[in-house]
């Protein structure tokens, strides 16, 4: 058997196995990884911000069919005036059954893991086996998803699978399904309308003749305008969009330039650089725009959850940059054939060209001339696909190398260093649940929100809770002293455990 044909057969076998195994393996590994991190954080009372507490209180209101008055954000604060995320209603049934902040984190783990399936499936279809595995590694282990998991639950959890499934459906020619999935992003968060509009522009640049791009563009811009100008101010306690003050283009654009350049570099690396050839990369611009003109330093870098929605875009742009038509809107020869032929078929085409040349060499002269004419075009096409095959291996490898290099920017070390961050607040939480209203710190908000009326101790305003649960090591004074200084009256400590002190008004404590 000729060497080229044998190599092609080996590659075809590897590609077939990859298509069968990779999607399920990627989703399973993702679920185990993200689920483990979520459970570990919950077990050790690890909370990097108050967001999990806010969303837990929101879902608790939804589960009881109440308006989302989230007192953690501020007494009487209506969360419909904060961000626009009606898609969170979908979590009501599961939260009703398991009312816990852990429910939200595990739901996010499932959504992120689900997004790995279409990305890995499309990679296995379009890339050589080695490239498909490398791209799946770069996706599952991406700093964007890992940092979102360890930042705990946010509404972006729904955007990731919508983007992954929507883009893959679109790239496979299922335009209606893809358009619907992308259009639903407007119900995840108000700024996602601009991402939908950017997708409309991207598909016009990529394909020109489709019937969806104008509708998607208008749909995205319309929902962005309606939510920011009408819906959010209508429910906001101050009658405004709260995040306008966080955007100050002239002042903030040049600030943190080094951090912003690092973020851009990491994103280009996640797309294997070749992803810049795909118009899909336009979809990252709205998110990068509000982050980079924002005056909140946390927006600029790789931490928190802000990059999660960019991960499926970068991964699929990498594939599209290799196998797609690019920015011209004109398809290369063979690219229109239902997406089945890609860099993974390069070995077969190259082998066929070699066979034709071998036949020409041993044939009579007239026949040899015919073979030569036929094989000239084949050689050109084979060379093109060989180049694509090379890119299809090395671009994902670069993305995977970037993930490994940036592992230090994540909190994946929680998997093996969890005890370093652990506290034992179980007895304190159990004791605090007995009171009608409790003020506590960021760590315990999500644990108490489904059990009692919970406030963050930093935003009580005029509220005087029935109990205060704090760590003296963080406040710099005993909980009694803090409560008497902040709330007035005499307070007494009824529990001291796990570094926490639970204080109640003295009369109540004596009773």
């Amino acid at each position: 058997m000729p060497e080229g044909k044998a190599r092609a057969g080996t590659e075809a076998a590897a590609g077939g196995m990859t298509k069968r195994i990779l999607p399920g393996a990627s989703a399973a590994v993702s679920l185990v990884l993200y689920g483990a991190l979520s459970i570990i954080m919950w077990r050790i009372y690890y909370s990097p911000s108050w967001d999990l507490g806010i969303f837990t209180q929101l879902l608790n209101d939804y589960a009881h069919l109440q308006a989302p008055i989230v007192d953690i954000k501020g007494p009487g604060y209506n969360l419909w005036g904060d961000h626009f995320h009606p898609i969170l209603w979908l979590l009501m049934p599961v939260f009703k059954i398991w009312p816990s902040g852990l429910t939200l984190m595990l739901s996010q783990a499932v959504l992120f893991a689900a997004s790995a399936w279409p990305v890995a499936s499309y990679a296995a279809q379009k890339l050589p086996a080695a490239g498909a595995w490398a791209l799946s590694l770069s996706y599952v282990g991406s700093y964007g998803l890992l940092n979102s998991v360890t930042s705990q639950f946010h509404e972006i959890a729904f955007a990731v699978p919508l983007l992954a499934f929507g883009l893959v459906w679109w790239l496979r020619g299922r335009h209606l399904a893809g358009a619907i999935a992308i259009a639903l992003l407007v119900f995840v968060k108000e700024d996602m309308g601009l991402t939908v509009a950017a997708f409309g522009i991207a598909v016009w640049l990529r394909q020109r003749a489709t019937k969806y791009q104008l509708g998607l563009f208008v749909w995205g811009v319309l929902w962005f305008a309606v939510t920011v100008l009408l819906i959010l101010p209508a429910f906001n306690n101050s009658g405004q969009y709260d995040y306008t003050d966080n955007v100050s283009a002239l002042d903030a654009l040049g600030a943190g330039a080094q951090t912003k350049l690092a973020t851009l570099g990491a994103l280009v690396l996640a797309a294997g650089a070749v992803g810049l050839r795909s118009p899909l990369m336009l979809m990252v611009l709205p998110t990068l725009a509000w982050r980079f003109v924002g005056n909140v330093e946390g927006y600029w870098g790789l931490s928190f959850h802000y990059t999660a929605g960019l991960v499926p875009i970068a991964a699929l742009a990498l594939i599209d940059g290799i196998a797609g038509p690019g920015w011209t809107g004109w398809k290369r020869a063979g690219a229109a054939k239902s997406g089945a032929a890609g860099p993974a078929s390069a070995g077969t085409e190259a082998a066929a060209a070699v066979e034709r040349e071998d036949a020409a060499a041993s044939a009579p002269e007239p026949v040899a001339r015919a073979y030569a004419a036929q094989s000239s075009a084949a050689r050109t096409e084979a060379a093109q696909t060989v180049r694509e095959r090379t890119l299809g291996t090395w671009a994902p490898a670069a993305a995977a190398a970037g993930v490994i290099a940036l592992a230090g920017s994540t909190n994946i070390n929680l998997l093996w260093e969890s005890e370093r961050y652990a506290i034992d607040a179980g007895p304190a939480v159990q004791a605090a649940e007995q009171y009608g209203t409790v003020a506590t710190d960021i760590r315990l908000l999500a644990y108490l929100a489904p059990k009692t009326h919970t406030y963050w101790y930093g935003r009580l305003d005029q509220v005087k809770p029935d109990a205060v649960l704090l760590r003296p090591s963080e406040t710099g004074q005993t909980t009694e002293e803090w409560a008497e200084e902040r709330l007035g009256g005499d307070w007494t400590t009824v529990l001291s455990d796990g570094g926490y002190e639970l204080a109640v008004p003295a009369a109540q404590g004596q009773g």
Side-chain angles (χ1 to χ4, degrees), residues 164-176:
F165 278 98
L167 290 175
V168 168
W169 285 336
W170 185 277
L171 291 169
R172 283 178 167 160
R174 298 178 59 189
H175 290 170
L176 178 59

Side-chain angles (χ1 to χ4, degrees), residues 37-355:
L37 284 168
S38 300
I39 292 170
I40 288 171
M41 288 188 292
W42 186 258
R43 182 180 62 82
I44 66 175
Y45 295 89
Y46 177 90
S47 296
S49 77
W50 65 351
D51 290 353
L52 182 61
I54 287 172
F55 285 112
T56 302
Q57 199 166 58
L58 170 73
L59 264 297
N60 192 59
D61 285 340
Y62 283 167
H64 291 88
L65 302 180
Q66 299 173 350
I69 305 303
V70 178
D71 291 309
I72 290 174
K73 184 83 172 177
Y77 192 95
N78 190 328
L79 208 66
W80 285 348
D82 184 49
H83 286 302
F84 183 71
H85 36 54
I87 202 165
L88 295 182
W89 291 336
L90 295 176
L91 293 176
M92 286 171 55
V94 68
F95 192 90
K96 182 70 174 178
I97 298 170
W98 296 290
S100 167
L102 180 59
T103 299
L104 300 186
M105 288 197 288
L106 290 178
S107 296
Q108 177 173 258
V110 169
L111 291 166
F112 282 179
S115 77
W117 185 288
V119 172
S121 174
Y122 194 64
Q125 174 188 341
K126 287 291 187 179
L127 302 178
W133 283 97
L135 184 120
S136 295
L137 170 63
S138 73
Y139 187 87
V140 173
S142 68
Y143 59 86
L145 295 184
L146 285 175
N147 283 341
S148 190
V149 169
T150 56
S151 296
Q152 303 182 334
F153 181 81
H154 293 89
E155 65 275 88
I156 198 69
F158 282 93
V160 174
L162 285 174
L163 283 162
F165 278 98
L167 290 175
V168 168
W169 285 336
W170 185 277
L171 291 169
R172 283 178 167 160
R174 298 178 59 189
H175 290 170
L176 178 59
I180 291 173
I182 297 298
L184 289 174
L185 289 169
V186 301
F187 302 116
V188 174
K189 194 164 171 272
E190 64 276 6
D191 65 283
M192 296 304 293
L194 297 180
T195 301
V196 175
F199 176 72
I201 297 173
V203 297
W204 179 78
L205 289 170
R206 186 180 182 276
Q207 292 169 273
R208 302 297 164 93
T210 81
K211 60 184 179 181
Y212 296 105
Q213 68 265 29
L214 179 59
L216 286 165
F217 178 82
V218 173
W219 171 263
V221 171
L222 179 64
W223 271 103
F224 173 74
V226 168
T227 54
V228 170
L229 300 178
L230 297 177
I231 296 177
L232 294 174
F235 289 100
N236 186 273
N237 292 7
S238 302
Q240 63 181 12
Y241 179 53
D242 275 347
Y243 296 90
T244 303
D245 292 341
N246 287 358
V247 177
S248 52
L250 294 179
D251 295 333
L253 190 56
Q258 186 173 353
T259 301
K260 293 173 182 176
L261 286 173
T263 298
L264 286 175
L267 186 59
V268 170
L269 189 57
V274 73
L276 296 176
R277 187 179 175 275
S278 170
L280 295 181
M281 283 299 283
L282 284 176
M283 296 176 68
V284 308
L285 295 182
T287 298
L288 291 178
W290 69 255
R291 286 174 61 183
F292 286 179
V293 301
N295 54 23
V296 178
E297 290 187 22
Y299 292 167
W300 306 339
L302 304 179
S303 58
F304 299 110
H305 58 287
Y306 301 117
T307 306
L310 306 184
V311 174
I313 298 172
L316 292 167
L318 185 155
I319 302 172
D320 190 54
I322 296 169
W327 292 80
T328 64
W330 303 320
K331 293 184 180 295
R332 293 191 302 269
K337 296 180 181 179
S338 70
S345 64
T348 303
E349 295 170 9
V354 169
E355 281 192 16

Side-chain angles (χ1 to χ4, degrees), residues 358-372:
D358 290 344
S362 60
E365 185 175 347
V367 177
R369 284 198 299 268
Y371 269 119

Side-chain angles (χ1 to χ4, degrees), residues 15-33:
M17 183 177 295
T18 296
K19 289 178 182 178
R20 290 193 300 272
I21 296 175
L22 186 58
S26 298
V29 170
S30 299
L31 183 59
V32 170
L33 175 59

